[in-house]
Every structure is written in structure tokens, then in C-alpha cells.
Amino acid sequence: MALLYADLDALRASAADVRIVTSDGQTIAAHSYVLASASPVLERMIDRARCRGWGAAADCTIAVLGVPSDAVLAFLHLLYSSDAAALARSRRLVAPGAEDLVAAHGPQLLALAHAYRVGWLKRAAEAAVSARWLTADRAVDMLKLARLCDAPRLYARCARLAAKDFAAVEASDGWRFARRHDPALELELLQLLEDADTRRARWARARASQEAYRQLGHAMGSLDRIFAAAGGGTDDDASSAGTCQDGDDATCQGLRLLMRHFATCARKVAPGGCARCKRMLQLFRLHASVCDRPEQDQPCRVPLCSHFTAKMQTEKADKTWRLLVKKVTRARAMAGLANRQVPEVVAMSWAKYSTSSKWARN
């Protein structure tokens, strides 16, 4: 921070041609070429002040109102120390040493950067407010600031915090003020909370569906291993069936119990049938739908696989069943990719990329 003040103090030694007036009446000397190059809004304000005769050609006055004078001074220091090209090359939002200055005046700098269209400073102030100023008791105030300053990332962070800890937000002064004087903001926050609840419920249903498809895909693989081991399949089948026979796989145990019941149940041919037997038949049908073994040299050993395969060739399945088959097939493919052993060269490349990306973010 001392470096930033040194830059401004060094330029103050030259003749200042602009006077900045703050809300509390303080005056700060500045240079028009620095302000004009940093902000198009300040450039127009300086031109209008000179054209309307508000100041002499070498000395015009502009007002920067709405924030304390120390925030205006910090704003000017950052404008004097900015180098957009260097910051872009180094992937930094602000110059080295300026993070504390931005964090100390984050909300005020966000408002000034938005009003005077200083893009790089607006991004830095938005990040600083999200990281250091956003708490449950300030969530409503920061939400209103984000809405006024068109800061979508800060807005989303405020919404997530309100949804996560609404009890603390409801006890804040900002919430009480909004309820009394700003019903539109209160309604907007309540709508955000409702949207967050709906989104969480939708994600929970999607996760439950994915887990169900994953379990069905695992059950199809377990059927292959069970009957490959029982029928004396290939060495690979026998090795994969060993885990199932050892009793370590709960899916295999459940399938064995269900098949044992299916083999001995007398109700499966009775009117109405047996619910457990119907479930086993559905599993056999699903296996036939996702099985690729008939295209290979050895036929599939799972019971009724060829029967259901021939039946599917003559009868068109409904849309719901085709969607189920598609989801289970995709879940099996994703599980196979997840369990695949990554080559050492690829793993080293990923580690190197992750390290370089982390360094770049910091």
C-alpha cells in the first residue's frame, strides 16, 4: 500500500489540473489525463466542466459523491497505480499490494467502479466483497448493492448464503429494514429462497435417479458374473465372479436370493402372480435389453436373455422402457470409465496441469 501512495504523491509534485470534491467537502488534487485514461465517465465529466466554465482550462472541479472521502482517496490511488495490460498478462485483478486497499473499501469501491465504468476495479471489488464482506447479517445489504451495481457473482453468493442460513439473515437489520421500507427487495429475496429450495429438490431427485440407474447397471453386471461363474465361462468372467461368490457384494447376494425364490415360487404362474417374481422377470428383460453378449462368439448364459431378445425384435418397446434402457446403458458406461485404470503418462499430465492451474489462480 505504501507503493500506491508513493505513486500518487510523486504525481502530485506535478501541476494538478483537476479538483475532486467529496461528500464531506474535502478537496483532492488530481490529474485529468490519469482520470480520463482510467474512466470514460470521468473523462466526460472533465470535458463538461471545462466546456461549461466550471473551472479554468488548467483547473476544473468535479464532484465524486455518495461515499466517504477515504474511499474516494483509495479509488484515486488505485486509478493512479493501474496498468490494465500488465494486470491482464499477470492474470491479476489489481496491482500487487493493492488487495488490502480494495478489501478495506470493497463496497464503496464497487459502487464507484460501477458508476465510473472502471471494469478491472469492479471485478476486483466484487471479488473482495464476496470474500471478506459477505456475512449473514450483511447479506441483504450486499444483495441490494449487487443488484444496483450489476454484480451477478456477488448476487449469486448472497442468494446462496441466504438460502443456507436464512435464520441469521432474518435476524439482521437489513432484513428488518427491507420488510418495513422495501417490500420489493423482500419479495425478491423470498423468491430466491423458493428457487433455491426447488433447485435443491430437483438436484436430489436427479441424484436419486442416477443412483438407481447405477445400481441397475451394477445388477446387470452381477447377473453376468453369477451365470458366467455357474456356467464355467472365460477366465476373465470367473475372476470377476469370484468377488460375487465370496459374499462381499450385497447386490450379488440379493440377486441370488431373488433367483432362488423365482426358481421355487409357485405363485408366479398363478393369477396375479408374485411381486418378487415379476421383479426378477423385469431384471431379466432389462439385462436382455442391455446385453451385448449375443453379438459375440459365446451366447449369454443369463436365463431368458435369448427369449427376451427375440421378443424385442418382434415387439416394439414403449418409450418409457427405451428411456430406462438408455439410462442404464449410460450408467454402465460411466461406471466402466470411472473404474478404468488411468495410464501413468496421463496421470502425470493431469497432475502437472492441476498444479499449473492452481498456481495461475493464486
Side-chain angles (χ1 to χ4, degrees):
M1 191 183 300
L3 218 56
L4 300 174
Y5 282 87
D7 294 339
L8 182 56
D9 293 337
L11 279 172
R12 277 180 174 172
S14 61
D17 55 353
V18 177
R19 303 287 177 181
I20 305 293
V21 178
T22 63
S23 299
D24 52 5
Q26 293 192 22
T27 302
I28 305 173
H31 301 79
S32 59
Y33 64 90
V34 176
L35 301 183
S37 63
S39 166
V41 178
L42 289 174
E43 182 181 12
R44 287 195 298 269
M45 291 176 65
I46 293 171
D47 292 341
R48 283 199 303 267
R50 288 175 174 172
C51 291
R52 294 179 182 179
W54 290 0
D59 186 10
C60 67
T61 302
I62 60 176
V64 178
L65 308 176
V67 296
S69 57
D70 55 347
V72 178
L73 187 60
F75 178 64
L76 293 176
H77 280 307
L78 290 167
L79 294 186
Y80 272 78
S81 64
S82 66
D83 185 352
L87 293 175
R89 287 194 300 270
S90 62
R91 298 182 181 180
R92 301 179 68 95
L93 293 177
V94 293
E99 289 86 355
D100 294 337
L101 188 62
V102 176
H105 305 280
Q108 296 88 353
L109 290 177
L110 177 59
L112 289 173
H114 174 71
Y116 295 104
R117 295 176 57 187
V118 186
W120 62 268
L121 183 56
K122 181 178 178 179
R123 293 189 294 271
E126 184 180 6
V129 171
S130 300
R132 303 193 184 186
W133 284 79
L134 185 55
T135 56
D137 56 335
R138 296 174 179 167
V140 178
D141 298 329
M142 295 299 107
L143 181 70
K144 189 171 185 179
L145 176 67
R147 186 177 61 175
L148 293 174
C149 296
D150 190 20
R153 294 182 180 86
L154 178 60
Y155 189 91
R157 290 285 300 273
C158 294
R160 285 197 297 268
L161 178 60
K164 181 180 179 181
D165 193 5
F166 181 67
V169 173
E170 195 175 17
S172 64
D173 295 335
W175 174 259
R176 287 193 290 268
F177 180 86
R179 295 195 64 180
R180 294 194 199 99
H181 307 288
D182 196 348
L185 180 62
E186 179 189 7
L187 181 61
E188 182 178 358
L189 185 56
L190 291 176
Q191 184 63 46
L192 288 173
L193 296 177
E194 183 180 357
D195 293 343
D197 292 339
T198 304
R199 190 163 52 249
R200 279 197 296 267
R202 186 171 63 249
W203 289 345
R205 289 194 300 268
R207 286 193 296 269
S209 300
Q210 292 298 325
E211 178 62 19
Y213 297 139
R214 188 197 65 81
Q215 291 179 0
L216 285 173
H218 184 58
M220 299 302 101
S222 299
L223 283 175
D224 283 330
R225 293 194 296 270
I226 290 173
F227 288 99
T234 62
D235 294 338
D236 294 338
D237 292 332
S239 62
S240 61
T243 304
C244 190
Q245 289 179 334
D246 291 340
D248 295 334
D249 196 333
T251 304
C252 286
Q253 292 181 358
L255 287 173
R256 288 179 182 279
L257 292 175
L258 197 59
M259 286 185 293
R260 190 175 296 118
H261 169 81
F262 180 79
T264 58
C265 180
R267 291 180 55 197
K268 61 176 174 285
V269 294
C274 173
R276 297 178 66 185
C277 294
K278 289 180 180 179
R279 190 179 305 119
M280 191 70 242
L281 285 173
Q282 291 290 334
L283 290 175
F284 283 145
R285 181 189 175 193
L286 180 60
H287 177 271
S289 300
V290 302
C291 181
D292 56 356
R293 197 55 82 82
E295 300 177 359
Q296 300 177 1
D297 297 336
Q298 295 183 353
C300 181
R301 298 180 183 276
V302 177
L304 302 178
C305 184
S306 58
H307 167 73
F308 281 117
T309 302
K311 189 175 181 180
M312 285 186 297
Q313 292 175 356
T314 58
E315 298 180 2
K316 184 178 180 181
D318 59 6
K319 183 178 179 180
T320 304
W321 183 262
R322 292 198 304 269
L323 181 61
L324 174 63
V325 172
K326 180 180 178 181
K327 296 285 188 179
V328 173
T329 304
R330 183 180 301 172
R332 293 187 71 186
M334 296 301 295
L337 291 175
N339 297 329
R340 184 182 59 182
Q341 186 176 2
V342 180
E344 185 178 357
V345 177
V346 177
M348 292 175 62
S349 299
W350 284 354
K352 183 178 179 181
Y353 174 76
S354 300
T355 305
S356 61
S357 300
K358 183 178 180 181
W359 177 85
R361 288 193 298 268
N362 294 335

